[in-house]
Amino acid sequence: MMSIPTGASAAPVRYEAENAAISQGVVESNHAGFSGTGFVNFDNVAGSSVEFTVNAAQAGSATLTFRYANGTTENRPVDVNVNGSLAVDERAFAGTGAWTTWSSVTNTVQLNQGSNKIKLTATGALGGPNLDYVDVEQTTSAPALEQEAEQATINQGVVESNHAGFSGTGFVNYNNVTGSYVEYTITADQAGEHKLTFRYANGTTTDRPLAITVDGGTATNLPFPGTGAWTTWQTATTSVTLKAGANKIRATATTANGGPNADKLTATFSGPVDNEPPTPPKNLRATGHTSTSTSLAWDAATDNVKVVGYDIYQHGQLMKSVDGETLAATVDGLEPDTDYDWTVFAKDATPNVSQASNNVIVRTDPAPPDTIPPSNPSNLRSTGKTATSVDLAWTASTDNVKVTGYEIFVDGALKQTADGTATTATVAGLTTGKEYAFKVRAKDAKNNLSGFSNEIKDTPAAGGPKGVPNPGTVTTIANGVDVPWGLVFLPDGSALFSERETFNIYRLTEGGSKTLVGKVPNAVGTGGEGGLLGLEIAPTFSTDHYLYIYHTASEGNRVVRMKYENNALSEYKVLLQGIAKSRFHNGGRLRWGPIDNKLYVSVGDAQNDSRAQDKNSLNGKILRINPDGTIPADNPFGNAVWTMGHRNPQGLDFDSQGRLWQAEFGQSTMDEVNLIQKGGNYGWPACEGTSGNCSGYIAPKKTWSTSSASPSGLTIINDYVFVATTVGSRVYRNRIDANSNLVEQTTYFQGTYGRLRTVEVDKEGDIWLTTSADKDGNPNNDKILHVDIVYSGGDPQPPGDFKLTSSAFADNGNIPAKYTCAGDGSPGQDTSPPLTWGAKQDAKSYAIVFADVANGGNKLHWAIWDIPASSLSLPEGLGAGFNVPGQNGAKQKAMGSGANSQKYFGPCPGGSTHPYTFTLYAVNSATVPGLTSSSTMAQIETAIKNASTANTKLNGKSNAAA
């Protein structure tokens, strides 16, 4: 292998600031650590400056290294002009901690041959930093590094020379199998960006793509299309970062056709690793608009190397990209008479992405004159029903321009909407046995309304597969809240919720009592999707009172922990930092692993899609950490990263098998739901949903168009996945089938409550649903809704024979004294009552949890689990021990300590109105995973719930003395 130095650089030339031309500044030497005879202290005024005269041996690029000190905590930016032209806009000089602490920053500029004037001018009232010197290093073009393919490491391929035109002594003919590869060794003299050029021939008409990796890192998929003949050699290129020294570059075939004929690899140094983003574009402004378009312009951003492009976003969704020389664009395909929130971001070649420009809200013009309404929908009919819903279908309307939507009326009042392409809808929240009248009409962009369809009547009725969760009556728990984002339930059944923009956390009861418990310290907004986001508690909350929080801070996004006690927050502690933030794509959901006791975190790419494929970045990932913020030893990459290749994941929840599901915002084509696998790569940015180059990535389980979803919240009930959407303004429900696919989609509440953010299931099995009217700019106009969940075939308890009874007392009756502490006067020495139940189809085992539920609480007394599926009863007076004597492997645990923790712990105190419940769970596995004799009662209950498919309750009142 031949190695040539990767760059020819003239030695840097130092120019001391004290020898430069100074305007409104003085030379001083009162802070140690400077070079030369002193440094320049800028006057504390805008316009103070230092101008160097720099000689360049030749025209071209040069790296400027400024050494400085800034003993304040305030940035002291300067404009850098070269020969009278702005080269760097507001170059940041951040605080260094002390005036004796010196630091360096770099920028790349273009110099003329001969003399050049480099002027630093303070742009703020604090002036510039203390400036020591500038080092100027000119670089010439970098020579190449090369290796012939026949000299590389070859796996499932042979060296041949039967096709003319190759270099060296031959070429590599890949075997026609997936996984064949050539691995080159390229030795770089310096770390930085390198252009890889692969010389190849492909005499077929079929692309033979290769996955390119460096030292086993993230793969870049590179196409190698046909070249016309095996004697026609062409090149394919990509850019990578190489370290100084030897780099293993592997090119692996990704299809059964193998790779092309490989001749050689050439690596060319492009420049040093660049971690500095461009400055934000300034002065974003609207320059025109029509009913379907908006024209924008902005002032140029600057970068230490070069701005290569601008991305134009509408409220978090990429709408258009232009090159770095273009400072205006028109976005088409918009809806008439609609407000759009525009932001522009600059990017460089690395790519680093700037922070957001100012945002501009532009309303499109009304649609052109159109007085012709759509035709009437026809053939309205009922196609199905549950106890709380009716499914409708109709024949589509037509329009002279376009049908933009349908309005669905129930008993003469507008109930919900449907998309203009829809011909079906489900109307939920109905009352069983009540007859309803339904009719539908269409509308166009000018809000011309068709006449109504035929009216039909139907009556919701129970039926269908048992245990299917159907949305029933909807009530408002809280009005006047502001972008409620995180929502977590406490052991007493009440909830804590976060407000994204105010940084407040409130406690909310189902009855609507709302109490402010505190404001999260250090939280900041981003003017978009950042702020105070996800909340979660661990199974140990009843003893440690820890509340886990995801929020945006000054340096980025964080996961923190606080204590929630007595309706107040305290003890703020940072668990995880280093998560980049941006105006959009911050992620933010938290969810506790029911089996592994780990905290899972969804994190967006912060609008830099390259981070999603960087295993060393925390952005564009699902993260997994221990309760104290440390990294679990079994994480796949040695850091907090659990999965990668995500754009903006938010919703998280676990199914009955303990598997994690995740909802994710797409860019402009597809939103998606994924089944998360340890170490998995979900494809972003190469793959969006199922669109793009998706080979080798984990495919989503469900996709929707970005116009009909934008999924933020996700929760799972009885293995039915509920997803709340913002743009779609609806809730989707899909069933997880035996093949782990999402099937039988039903859509609820479209257009009824506006944008929907968060969906969570409470301790009673009902849903709390939050609205998200954040796009209208008005505070305190959101709601938290309660959606009653009614199960097919019966009430919220599974129907049929699956029912828990006791021969000792009736449901809601008094529990006899012998089964309470009153039996012997000593808690923990109690006799367990006899219990019997009917079989639940497909149950692999059973579990029973006994709890005190007075005053809305859930004080856990005792649990027994791993009861064999063949057992449908428990005898009176179970024996003591973690492994229950005579019960075929069943295990038990109680709230007591010592020996009392391994025997039945009955109700005490009591009183004739003091309620207790025995809850029977049908479990989907023969043993509940993750439980030991040291597990807490809260951990046991959580694990049982997450492994169960159904439950039923036996209620009783204790007559033990209070």
Side-chain angles (χ1 to χ4, degrees):
M1 197 216 112
M2 177 176 65
S3 174
I4 303 173
T6 56
S9 299
V13 178
R14 180 162 299 174
Y15 296 85
E16 296 285 348
E18 62 269 23
N19 298 326
I22 304 165
S23 174
Q24 295 179 288
V26 294
V27 176
E28 294 181 348
S29 57
N30 56 326
H31 298 305
F34 56 84
S35 72
T37 60
F39 55 85
V40 172
N41 182 351
F42 281 72
D43 287 357
N44 293 349
V45 293
S48 50
S49 66
V50 176
E51 185 176 75
F52 299 90
T53 300
V54 170
N55 290 309
Q58 60 187 19
S61 64
T63 300
L64 308 181
T65 302
F66 300 103
R67 189 170 189 260
Y68 77 100
N70 178 2
T72 73
T73 59
E74 300 290 335
N75 176 32
R76 296 192 170 205
V78 304
D79 283 344
V80 180
N81 282 267
V82 176
N83 298 322
S85 297
L86 181 66
V88 185
D89 183 25
E90 294 193 343
R91 150 42 80 197
F93 286 87
T96 59
W99 292 110
T100 54
T101 300
W102 299 85
S103 185
S104 296
V105 295
T106 63
N107 284 88
T108 300
V109 300
Q110 297 298 312
L111 299 182
N112 299 326
Q113 185 175 11
S115 180
N116 296 265
K117 298 292 187 181
I118 300 176
K119 185 175 184 180
L120 281 67
T121 304
T123 62
L126 294 176
N130 284 356
L131 188 64
D132 190 18
Y133 61 72
V134 60
D135 277 347
V136 181
E137 182 178 8
Q138 280 200 278
T139 57
T140 61
S141 59
L145 302 154
E146 288 186 353
Q147 187 177 30
E148 296 287 342
E150 64 269 23
Q151 298 173 0
T153 300
I154 303 165
N155 180 66
Q156 295 181 290
V158 294
V159 176
E160 295 180 349
S161 57
N162 56 325
H163 298 303
F166 57 83
S167 67
T169 60
F171 56 84
V172 173
N173 181 352
Y174 280 73
N175 289 358
N176 292 350
V177 294
T178 301
S180 51
Y181 67 79
V182 176
E183 184 174 84
Y184 305 86
T185 300
I186 296 293
T187 301
D189 288 339
Q190 59 182 304
E193 295 297 314
H194 288 70
K195 177 183 178 181
L196 302 183
T197 302
F198 295 88
R199 190 170 189 262
Y200 78 99
N202 178 1
T204 75
T205 59
T206 302
D207 181 26
R208 297 190 170 201
L210 300 177
I212 312 301
T213 60
V214 178
D215 294 330
T218 302
T220 298
N221 291 315
L222 186 63
F224 286 80
T227 60
W230 292 110
T231 54
T232 301
W233 300 86
Q234 294 182 1
T235 59
T237 63
T238 188
S239 293
V240 298
T241 299
L242 300 183
K243 66 179 184 294
N247 297 264
K248 299 292 186 182
I249 301 173
R250 180 177 293 187
T252 305
T254 61
T255 72
N257 292 321
N261 285 355
D263 186 26
K264 67 178 179 179
L265 169 64
T266 302
T268 307
F269 179 71
S270 305
V273 176
D274 176 16
N275 295 316
E276 183 171 334
T279 62
K282 294 181 179 179
N283 190 27
L284 177 64
R285 56 203 181 272
T287 57
H289 47 83
T290 70
S291 61
T292 59
S293 69
T294 294
S295 297
L296 302 166
W298 56 91
D299 294 347
T302 61
D303 186 62
N304 62 319
V305 180
K306 182 182 180 182
V307 174
V308 299
Y310 295 94
D311 289 336
I312 303 159
Y313 275 80
Q314 195 290 119
H315 203 76
Q317 185 175 48
L318 179 65
M319 303 296 284
K320 194 168 188 176
S321 296
V322 298
D323 62 46
E325 303 300 321
T326 301
L327 301 178
T330 296
V331 181
D332 299 304
L334 307 180
E335 293 296 324
D337 206 22
T338 302
D339 284 333
Y340 288 91
D341 183 4
W342 299 102
T343 315
V344 175
F345 297 81
K347 57 188 178 183
D348 61 23
T350 303
N352 298 302
V353 179
S354 75
Q355 291 297 308
S357 71
N358 58 297
N359 69 303
V360 174
I361 297 176
V362 183
R363 191 171 187 87
T364 51
D365 295 341
D370 173 16
T371 60
I372 302 174
S375 65
N376 297 354
S378 61
N379 191 26
L380 180 65
R381 57 203 182 273
S382 172
T383 58
K385 54 191 171 184
T386 71
T388 61
S389 67
V390 171
D391 298 327
L392 302 175
W394 59 88
T395 300
S397 300
T398 59
D399 187 65
N400 62 316
V401 180
K402 180 183 178 183
V403 175
T404 59
Y406 291 92
E407 296 181 341
I408 300 164
F409 284 70
V410 179
D411 288 345
L414 178 62
K415 178 74 172 178
Q416 63 191 60
T417 62
D419 296 330
T421 57
T423 56
T424 63
T426 296
V427 180
L430 307 178
T431 301
T432 305
K434 179 182 176 181
E435 185 179 71
Y436 293 89
F438 302 93
K439 56 185 177 181
V440 178
R441 67 184 180 188
K443 61 180 180 180
D444 62 19
K446 287 298 286 185
N447 209 33
N448 294 309
L449 297 171
S450 75
F452 282 106
S453 68
N454 57 301
E455 183 176 270
I456 65 169
K457 295 184 178 181
D458 205 351
T459 304
K466 294 181 178 180
V468 178
N470 298 301
T473 304
V474 180
T475 56
T476 299
I477 304 176
N479 280 301
V481 293
D482 187 48
V483 194
W485 212 99
L487 180 69
V488 63
F489 293 99
L490 300 173
D492 66 0
S494 66
L496 297 178
F497 74 87
S498 63
E499 290 187 331
R500 188 183 69 189
E501 309 296 330
T502 68
F503 320 134
N504 288 329
I505 293 179
Y506 292 85
R507 177 176 177 265
L508 181 65
T509 68
E510 188 172 345
S513 175
K514 185 177 74 171
T515 305
L516 176 63
V517 302
K519 186 182 291 287
V520 174
N522 306 309
V524 302
T526 65
E529 296 171 350
L532 177 56
L533 303 175
L535 304 177
E536 182 61 300
I537 62 173
T540 54
F541 177 83
S542 59
T543 57
D544 59 33
H545 303 289
Y546 285 144
L547 173 66
Y548 295 80
I549 303 167
Y550 185 108
H551 75 81
T552 310
S554 58
E555 86 293 343
N557 293 303
R558 300 176 176 178
V559 178
V560 305
R561 188 180 72 193
M562 298 187 74
K563 273 199 171 183
Y564 168 71
E565 295 177 299
N566 302 318
N567 279 338
L569 300 176
S570 62
E571 298 185 18
Y572 178 96
K573 180 180 180 180
V574 178
L575 300 183
L576 185 65
Q577 287 179 285
I579 304 170
K581 69 177 181 180
S582 189
R583 186 181 184 209
F584 304 113
H585 303 187
N586 294 287
R589 294 286 174 194
L590 303 176
R591 189 69 77 179
W592 210 270
I595 297 174
D596 59 7
N597 197 36
K598 309 300 182 188
L599 183 63
Y600 291 79
V601 186
S602 67
V603 180
D605 66 11
Q607 297 188 259
N608 184 338
D609 58 21
S610 66
R611 294 178 174 129
Q613 292 296 326
D614 179 358
K615 291 194 292 279
N616 296 313
S617 169
L618 299 182
N619 288 88
K621 309 294 191 301
I622 303 298
L623 308 180
R624 177 177 180 258
I625 60 175
N626 289 318
D628 62 357
T630 57
I631 306 303
D634 59 341
N635 274 15
F637 306 117
N639 57 6
V641 174
W642 187 248
T643 61
M644 59 194 297
H646 302 289
R647 180 178 180 269
N648 189 22
Q650 289 191 7
L652 297 174
D653 203 7
F654 289 86
D655 65 15
S656 64
Q657 299 182 48
R659 302 176 303 179
L660 181 60
W661 294 76
Q662 165 258 347
E664 181 166 337
F665 288 76
Q667 176 161 278
S668 57
T669 305
M670 293 183 185
D671 299 320
E672 59 192 67
V673 172
N674 293 298
L675 176 56
I676 296 301
Q677 303 175 29
K678 175 182 178 179
N681 190 329
Y682 291 80
W684 176 253
C687 178
E688 179 187 353
T690 58
S691 174
N693 186 356
C694 297
S695 175
Y697 299 120
I698 298 174
K701 294 296 184 178
K702 189 69 181 179
T703 63
W704 303 279
S705 70
T706 53
S707 63
S708 62
S710 293
S712 177
L714 182 150
T715 197
I716 300 175
I717 306 174
N718 279 7
D719 282 345
Y720 281 80
V721 178
F722 289 79
V723 178
T725 67
T726 54
V727 172
S729 299
R730 67 197 77 174
V731 172
Y732 290 113
R733 188 196 71 186
N734 287 269
R735 179 174 67 85
I736 305 171
D737 71 6
N739 296 316
S740 303
N741 293 317
L742 295 182
V743 298
E744 301 170 9
Q745 177 166 291
T746 306
T747 304
Y748 301 106
F749 311 129
Q750 182 176 337
T752 304
Y753 305 108
R755 288 163 56 88
L756 301 174
R757 174 70 60 184
T758 298
V759 57
E760 297 286 358
V761 59
D762 68 13
K763 293 184 176 297
E764 300 301 320
D766 296 326
I767 280 176
W768 290 28
L769 180 64
T770 77
T771 69
S772 192
D774 47 322
K775 287 187 70 175
D776 64 6
N778 297 315
N780 304 318
N781 61 349
D782 281 311
K783 299 178 180 180
I784 299 179
L785 306 169
H786 179 278
V787 183
D788 186 41
I789 295 297
V790 178
Y791 293 78
S792 292
D795 63 18
Q797 306 311 323
D801 294 333
F802 183 60
K803 183 178 181 181
L804 182 63
T805 62
S806 175
S807 59
F809 61 96
D811 188 33
N812 286 313
N814 286 336
I815 302 172
K818 68 179 294 186
Y819 306 117
T820 75
C821 69
D824 60 10
S826 176
Q829 306 294 322
D830 316 312
T831 302
S832 62
L835 297 169
T836 304
W837 57 92
K840 180 71 172 71
Q841 187 178 5
D842 298 328
K844 303 295 191 300
S845 66
Y846 296 99
I848 297 173
V849 176
F850 179 56
D852 180 350
V853 294
N855 301 316
N858 189 44
K859 185 178 181 181
L860 301 172
H861 278 230
W862 169 81
I864 183 170
W865 65 98
D866 294 354
I867 305 168
S870 58
S871 297
L872 299 177
S873 65
L874 290 176
E876 180 179 278
L878 292 173
F882 179 67
N883 293 293
V884 186
Q887 296 305 311
N888 301 312
K891 302 172 183 64
Q892 67 181 344
K893 189 72 184 290
M895 64 182 289
S897 60
N900 284 342
S901 69
Q902 295 184 355
K903 60 178 67 173
Y904 177 76
F905 206 108
C908 182
S912 62
T913 62
H914 198 93
Y916 289 81
T917 63
F918 292 85
T919 304
L920 171 70
Y921 293 91
V923 179
N924 62 13
S925 56
T927 59
V928 178
L931 297 182
T932 68
S933 59
S934 61
S935 298
T936 65
M937 288 300 299
Q939 289 171 333
I940 291 167
E941 183 192 40
T942 298
I944 290 172
K945 283 183 174 181
N946 283 297
S948 72
T949 60
N951 66 78
T952 183
K953 297 181 186 296
L954 171 64
N955 304 285
K957 303 181 182 72
S958 171
N959 66 3

